[in-house]
């Protein structure tokens, strides 16, 4: 059996209400889960970019790409998995604070290079930016200190074009 | 020019060359129906929306034009889904218009509201909900363009009541379809064709496998020229029957589960398989690992997502069938390539020996009608010139096996989705397109009951289609599987309780005849086929006849049972 791995697929699509549903349906209909998803309009307001990751074998992911390319509203499909890219993800992390944990938390935050966005007596919200792996690691480190909730953007990726 | 949305719709349909539309009115589309009335647009009132879509689909298959259906919102729209999915699986160009509640009510669970674009998203080529009246004309033209371009397919356009009632500034000169992507024609490198010719020259046992893509791409003449010049035996999938003449000595019939012994043997023994416009469906390939395992495979298809989907091929060519075959034929001519008799002799002799060993056969003895005999007699009586539609199941397989299709678009059947109830409404669409041809729906007693209400439509518009009913009182194909794989536990397939089909037909005003013995087959067909009225012919056939050859599900196509004997390699 061929190895499954995480694939990063970048799509340019028409900026229309049901396009995301078509893309999601194409994956979901074949039984593939979207692991991360990042969508925004491009500098051309008629066009959006969708960057998603999904786990699968090379052969299967190629089939998914061909299916996606067939959608009328999909302009371009690129697999960035094996391309030289910059990949980043942003996480917002809300920590529950206690009198005991505060000083330990501040030390950790400084070490981790997290940005403090808000801070009051009960909660603080942190921002962290990095690769998916780095975000995972930061969350792991913060977990014992009392994570209240997390929001992650999903991966944004861009080819380097050296 | 200012006009109402409904008028814009009619203008757009006229501009697209639509000469008939199949539909069923309702609250959300009452304004459209008012416009149809005023403009005297040719509209056929069916008795169920599913039939409207199948009729539009049959019309499209027979003519190569885009078929059009219209239904109201809610249940009208959901009734079109089976028809849309049928067309989608077989890549048939149709446009289905559905009514929708006014835009301000969408999402409010309004009366007869349903999210039909959401429902049909995975089973249509594309769909639209028109929210802005100014986009109506563009959207309609785009829908037709998408339906017929590339790999064709069904497109649904959902029309909210306020959008079609709006006053619109309509100027046909300003219509602009956003079709940059759609107009892209794949242009494979000429090296690929050179490689194809090299592979063809090197092959000792080459053959062609063709599918619906030949018919959709209108590439019949080019295919015939290529096959004859290169002396290639041709097997055709169900969807492609008629593209290569069924009576040609090079023709092998269908491959796959109910394919001929010799087509399946040829695929298993060939060393080069050139597949054009077929998609290696599981009913064709059987066990994937052993399919054409001795062959290099060339796959020509207009849809890149069909290539390497089920079968990994040696030479993929993304192109429509017509331009691919034109390129190939030109290359053959430029290189003075014509296969010689001597070079093909061994291969064609081997195939001939398989043909002799196990031709398509059945045994018509005794007093009970064999369904195969009905189809064979139908072929003789119509001299092979009828257009045949089918329902799904045993009737469909026998119609594919025992009628020889010499012309394109004369065998019309739901291949991919396998929709029971397809053949009769499809026949109505076909007959409207070709009023001078004999159009016959080959049906079973199960499937005919799925859209039998359309007998009224045939009478109302005087569409004299013919139904050849192979009546065995069973859901025959499922029963066959139960016999062969479920130790004859006939769970819920016995349909002995049935109406008197002659009386049903006569109640609708049809002619109707019955044959109960073999010697009645021909007279009944001769009485029924040539009259100018719709006619149902009820053939009481052997109840437990099976379709053979048969490849067991999951087995290699070289392992077939012929009923009385097992045949392998």
């Amino acid at each position: 059996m061929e190895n499954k791995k995480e694939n990063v697929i970048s799509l340019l699509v028409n900026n229309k209400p049901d396009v995301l549903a078509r893309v999601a349906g194409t994956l979901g209909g074949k039984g593939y889960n979207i692991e991360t998803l990042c969508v925004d309009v491009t500098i051309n307001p008629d066009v959006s970019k969708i960057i998603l990751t999904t786990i699968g074998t090379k052969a299967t992911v190629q089939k998914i790409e061909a299916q996606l390319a067939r959608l009328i509203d999909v302009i371009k499909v690129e697999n960035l998995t094996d391309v030289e890219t910059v990949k980043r993800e942003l996480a917002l992390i809300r920590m529950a604070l206690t009198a005991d944990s505060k000083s330990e938390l501040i030390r950790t935050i400084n070490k981790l290079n997290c940005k403090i966005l808000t801070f009051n007596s009960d909660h603080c919200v942190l921002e962290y930016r990095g690769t998916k792996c780095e975000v995972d690691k930061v969350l792991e480190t913060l977990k014992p200190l009392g994570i209240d909730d997390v929001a992650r953007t999903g991966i944004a990726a861009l080819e380097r074009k050296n | 020019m200012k006009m109402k949305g409904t008028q814009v719709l009619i203008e757009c349909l006229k501009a697209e060359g639509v000469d008939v539309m199949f539909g069923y009115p309702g609250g959300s589309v009452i304004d459209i129906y008012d416009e149809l009335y005023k403009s005297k647009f040719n509209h056929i009132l069916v008795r169920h929306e599913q039939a409207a879509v199948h009729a539009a689909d049959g019309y499209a298959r027979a003519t190569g034009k885009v078929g059009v259906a219209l239904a109201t919102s809610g249940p009208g729209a959901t009734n079109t889904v089976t028809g849309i999915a049928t067309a989608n699986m077989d890549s048939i160009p149709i446009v289905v218009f559905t009514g929708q509640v006014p835009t301000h009510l969408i999402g409010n669970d309004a009366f007869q509201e349903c999210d039909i674009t959401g429902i049909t998203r995975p089973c249509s080529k594309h769909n639209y909900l028109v929210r802005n009246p100014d986009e109506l004309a563009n959207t309609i033209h785009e829908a037709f363009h998408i339906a017929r371009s590339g790999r064709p397919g069904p497109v649904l356009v959902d029309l909210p009541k306020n959008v079609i009632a709006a006053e619109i500034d309509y100027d046909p000169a300003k219509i602009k379809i956003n079709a940059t992507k759609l107009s892209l024609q794949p242009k494979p490198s000429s090296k690929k064709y050179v490689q194809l010719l090299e592979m063809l020259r090197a092959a000792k046992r080459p053959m062609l496998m063709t599918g619906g893509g030949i018919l959709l791409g209108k590439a019949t003449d080019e295919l015939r020229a290529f096959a004859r010049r290169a002396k290639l035996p041709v097997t055709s999938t169900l969807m492609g029957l008629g593209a290569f003449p069924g009576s040609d000595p090079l023709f092998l019939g269908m491959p796959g589960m109910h394919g001929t012994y010799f087509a399946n043997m040829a695929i298993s023994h060939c060393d080069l398989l050139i597949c054009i416009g077929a998609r290696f469906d599981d009913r064709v390939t059987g066990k994937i690992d052993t399919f054409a395992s001795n062959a290099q495979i060339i796959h020509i298809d207009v849809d890149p997502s069909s290539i390497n989907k089920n079968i990994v091929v040696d030479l993929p060519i993304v192109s429509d069938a017509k331009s691919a075959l034109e390129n190939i034929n030109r290359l053959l001519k430029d290189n003075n390539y014509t296969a010689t008799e001597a070079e093909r002799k061994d291969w064609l002799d081997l195939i001939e020996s398989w043909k002799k060993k196990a031709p398509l056969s059945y045994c018509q003895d005794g007093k009970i009608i064999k369904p195969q005999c009905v189809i064979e007699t139908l072929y003789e009586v119509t001299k092979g010139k009828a257009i045949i539609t089918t329902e799904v199941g045993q009737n469909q397989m026998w119609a594919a096996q025992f009628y020889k299709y010499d012309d394109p678009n004369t065998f019309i059947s739901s291949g991919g989705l396998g929709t029971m109830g397809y053949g009769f409404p499809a026949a109505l669409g076909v007959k409207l397109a070709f009023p001078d041809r004999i159009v016959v729906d080959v049906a079973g007693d199960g499937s005919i009951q799925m859209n039998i209400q359309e007998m009224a439509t045939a009478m109302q518009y005087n569409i004299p289609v013919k139904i050849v009913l192979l009546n065995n009182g069973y859901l025959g194909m499922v029963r066959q599987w139960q016999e062969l794989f479920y130790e004859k536990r006939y769970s819920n397939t016995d349909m002995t309780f049935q109406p008197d089909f002659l009386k049903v037909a006569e109640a609708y005003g049809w002619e109707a005849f019955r044959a109960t013995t073999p010697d009645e087959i021909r007279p009944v067909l001769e009485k029924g086929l040539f009259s100018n009225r719709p006619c149902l012919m009820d053939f009481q056939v052997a109840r437990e006849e099976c379709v053979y050859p048969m490849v067991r599900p999951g087995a290699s196509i070289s392992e077939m049972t012929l009923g009385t004997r097992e045949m392998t390699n």
Side-chain angles (χ1 to χ4, degrees):
Chain A
M1 271 304 277
E2 210 190 332
N3 280 340
K4 288 186 173 182
K5 69 169 184 180
E6 186 179 76
N7 280 262
V8 182
I9 299 173
S10 173
L11 307 169
L12 283 181
V13 302
N14 291 328
N15 183 12
K16 283 191 194 166
D18 57 351
V19 176
L20 184 59
R22 290 180 199 278
V23 170
T26 302
L27 279 106
K30 314 269 171 214
Y32 290 93
N33 190 29
I34 297 174
E35 303 289 327
T36 74
L37 180 67
C38 178
V39 191
D40 209 341
V41 65
T42 62
I43 44 174
N44 175 356
D46 295 332
V47 177
S48 286
K49 182 176 260 189
I50 298 177
I51 295 166
L52 60 87
T53 60
T54 185
I55 294 171
T57 61
K58 195 176 169 195
T60 321
V61 171
Q62 277 174 351
K63 283 184 204 175
I64 294 176
E65 287 167 34
Q67 297 275 347
L68 288 171
R70 207 162 78 149
L71 296 175
I72 303 293
D73 283 320
V74 170
I75 301 161
K76 194 175 173 194
V77 182
E78 263 183 303
N79 190 326
L80 298 179
T81 314
D82 299 321
V83 180
E84 280 277 304
T85 51
V86 185
K87 297 190 184 83
R88 283 293 177 276
E89 184 177 10
L90 185 141
L92 297 174
I93 310 147
R94 189 171 64 229
M95 303 296 295
L97 301 178
T98 62
D100 299 341
S101 68
K102 238 179 233 177
S103 54
E104 169 74 19
L105 180 65
I106 290 171
R107 262 199 304 279
T108 313
I109 291 169
N110 288 335
K111 239 193 286 173
L112 290 175
N113 225 354
C114 281
K115 199 165 152 188
I116 300 171
L117 300 181
T118 68
F119 205 103
N120 59 37
S121 55
D122 297 330
H123 292 95
C124 70
V125 176
L126 311 175
E127 175 192 307
Y128 182 78
R129 208 166 48 205
T131 63
K132 185 172 187 288
C133 235
E134 287 165 346
V135 174
D136 287 343
K137 243 183 240 166
V138 164
L139 290 173
E140 202 55 40
T141 315
L142 289 172
K143 206 170 166 188
L145 297 167
I147 294 177
D148 188 37
D149 203 356
V150 181
R152 297 172 71 156
T153 57
I155 294 168
L158 203 61
E159 195 180 340
R160 281 177 200 272
K161 293 247 168 151
N162 287 329
Chain B
M1 193 194 336
K2 286 262 179 212
M3 57 170 81
K4 210 179 146 187
T6 50
Q7 283 173 294
V8 172
L9 171 63
I10 301 295
E11 289 305 314
C12 291
L13 293 177
K14 284 184 188 160
E16 290 290 346
V18 178
D19 46 23
V20 62
M21 182 191 216
F22 303 88
Y24 202 99
S28 293
V29 288
I30 196 163
D31 288 3
I32 299 177
Y33 275 86
D34 191 47
E35 202 60 53
L36 291 172
Y37 185 89
K38 287 192 275 192
S39 66
K40 300 195 172 68
F41 197 90
N42 188 14
H43 175 276
I44 304 292
L45 171 66
V46 294
R47 297 304 190 264
H48 188 290
E49 291 89 347
Q50 183 190 347
V53 185
H54 290 329
D57 171 314
Y59 178 87
R61 293 189 205 221
T63 59
K65 290 162 66 178
V66 179
V68 180
L70 170 63
T72 193
S73 64
T78 56
N79 277 345
T80 66
V81 173
T82 303
I84 293 170
T86 302
N88 196 46
M89 287 289 269
D90 290 346
S91 311
I92 305 305
I94 55 169
V95 174
V96 177
F97 293 98
T98 48
Q100 182 56 279
V101 301
T103 45
H104 70 274
L105 286 179
I106 291 177
N108 281 16
D109 295 338
F111 177 65
Q112 291 195 331
E113 179 192 355
C114 85
D115 174 12
I116 194 63
T117 48
I119 290 170
T120 56
R121 204 176 284 135
C123 67
S124 61
K125 183 173 177 185
H126 196 55
N127 61 25
Y128 297 91
L129 167 59
V130 186
R131 289 173 181 275
N132 179 352
D134 293 334
E135 287 170 9
L136 180 64
N138 279 348
T139 306
I140 294 168
H141 289 298
E142 210 169 286
F144 276 85
H145 185 74
I146 290 172
R148 67 165 84 90
S149 63
R151 176 179 178 171
V155 180
L156 178 135
V157 184
D158 201 17
L159 302 169
K161 195 172 165 111
N162 58 325
V163 169
I164 49 172
E167 282 285 312
I168 297 174
D169 198 9
Y170 174 69
D171 179 358
K174 281 194 188 147
I175 288 186
K176 198 171 146 257
I177 47 178
N178 173 19
T180 37
K181 178 177 176 176
L182 308 172
S183 313
L184 290 178
Q185 287 288 338
K187 281 228 169 62
S189 118
S190 58
K191 280 186 200 149
K192 293 227 175 192
Y193 295 114
V194 173
Q195 202 182 335
L196 179 145
L197 178 59
E198 280 165 14
M199 289 165 85
L200 181 60
R201 278 186 198 275
K204 297 259 184 301
R205 298 182 303 278
M207 67 180 288
L208 272 162
M209 183 168 106
T210 57
I214 303 281
L215 301 174
L216 292 163
K218 303 183 175 70
T220 308
D221 293 343
E222 292 78 3
L223 168 73
R224 294 174 179 199
F226 174 46
R228 283 172 184 150
R229 186 171 194 130
K231 298 191 177 53
L232 297 172
V234 182
T235 179
S236 166
T237 68
L238 185 82
M239 291 308 301
L241 291 177
F244 195 76
S247 55
D248 192 295
L250 282 171
F251 190 63
L252 305 179
M254 277 197 302
M257 181 171 273
H258 293 298
T260 62
Y261 172 73
F262 32 99
N264 285 342
M265 292 301 280
I267 289 173
S268 303
H269 287 81
C270 69
D271 62 357
L272 177 66
L273 182 68
I274 304 173
C275 172
I276 309 177
R279 59 187 173 85
F280 298 107
D281 176 84
D282 55 279
R283 286 291 191 266
V284 163
T285 62
K287 191 177 176 189
I288 290 273
D289 306 341
T290 51
F291 179 80
S293 51
N294 298 307
Q296 288 197 296
I297 302 178
I298 299 171
H299 189 188
I300 302 174
D301 201 290
V302 73
D303 177 8
S305 76
S306 281
I307 288 176
N308 288 335
K309 184 175 70 177
N310 300 331
I311 295 270
V312 179
V313 301
D314 300 282
L315 177 62
I317 299 178
V318 177
S319 168
D320 69 283
K322 195 179 183 81
S323 46
L325 281 159
E326 279 171 356
N327 279 312
I328 294 168
N329 287 336
R330 199 176 310 126
L331 193 67
L332 260 50
K333 199 172 157 218
D334 293 350
N335 284 274
N336 277 327
Y337 174 87
T338 307
T340 61
E341 302 276 341
E343 136 185 47
R344 289 284 180 268
K345 185 171 187 309
D346 288 353
W347 175 224
L348 294 179
D349 282 355
L350 182 59
I351 290 174
E352 205 48 45
S353 73
W354 290 325
K355 281 188 178 176
K356 288 216 173 74
K357 193 168 162 192
L360 281 174
S361 64
Y362 62 94
C363 183
Q364 178 63 71
D365 51 6
K367 285 267 169 234
I368 298 167
I369 297 174
K370 288 294 173 74
Q372 301 94 325
C373 185
V374 178
I375 305 295
E376 231 170 38
T377 315
L378 176 66
Y379 176 69
E380 289 164 18
V381 170
T382 57
K383 302 189 172 67
K385 293 294 172 201
I387 302 179
I388 306 292
T389 71
T390 78
E391 304 293 336
V392 164
Q394 290 184 317
N395 61 77
Q396 179 186 33
M397 291 299 112
W398 285 318
Q401 290 177 332
F402 289 93
Y403 200 99
K404 293 190 188 79
Y405 302 92
D406 281 348
D407 298 315
N409 309 324
T410 54
F411 175 76
I412 288 173
S413 186
S414 166
L417 197 67
T419 307
M420 289 171 69
Y422 168 80
F424 176 30
L428 298 175
V430 175
K431 182 72 183 173
L432 279 165
F434 293 101
D436 299 333
R437 299 286 293 265
I438 295 176
V439 179
V440 183
D441 172 36
V442 173
D445 51 294
S447 32
I448 194 60
Q449 293 185 73
M450 284 205 176
N451 270 320
I452 200 163
Q453 76 285 344
E454 298 309 318
M455 285 187 161
T457 311
M459 282 310 287
Q460 179 172 344
Y461 296 95
N462 187 25
I463 313 172
V465 295
K466 311 293 174 180
I467 295 175
V468 164
L469 182 63
L470 304 176
N471 188 351
N472 59 11
Y474 275 120
L475 295 174
M477 187 58 93
V478 181
R479 187 213 58 78
Q480 174 171 341
W481 281 50
Q482 288 170 335
E483 175 188 328
L484 299 175
F485 313 128
Y486 294 85
E487 294 163 329
K488 295 197 174 187
R489 290 187 298 277
Y490 292 162
S491 174
N492 292 279
T493 43
D494 191 323
M495 303 252 279
T496 321
F497 182 84
Q498 57 177 214
D500 180 333
F501 286 106
L502 264 54
K503 284 188 181 160
V504 172
E506 282 160 3
Y508 277 107
W510 283 43
E511 280 184 331
F513 304 107
R514 179 170 288 137
T516 51
T517 57
D519 54 352
E520 289 171 343
I521 298 174
R522 187 175 287 269
V524 162
L525 286 170
E526 281 170 350
K527 259 191 295 182
L529 288 172
F530 302 105
S531 74
N532 228 349
R533 288 174 63 197
C535 178
L536 178 138
M537 289 151 270
D538 179 6
F539 295 89
Q540 304 273 320
V541 299
R543 293 204 67 205
E544 301 201 7
E545 186 71 7
C546 286
V547 178
Y548 291 117
M550 181 174 195
V551 177
R552 283 166 187 264
S556 301
I557 56 167
S558 58
E559 297 162 22
M560 284 155 276
T561 171
L562 302 189
T564 47
R565 50 191 173 143
E566 299 292 317
M567 303 288 275
T568 49
N569 279 322

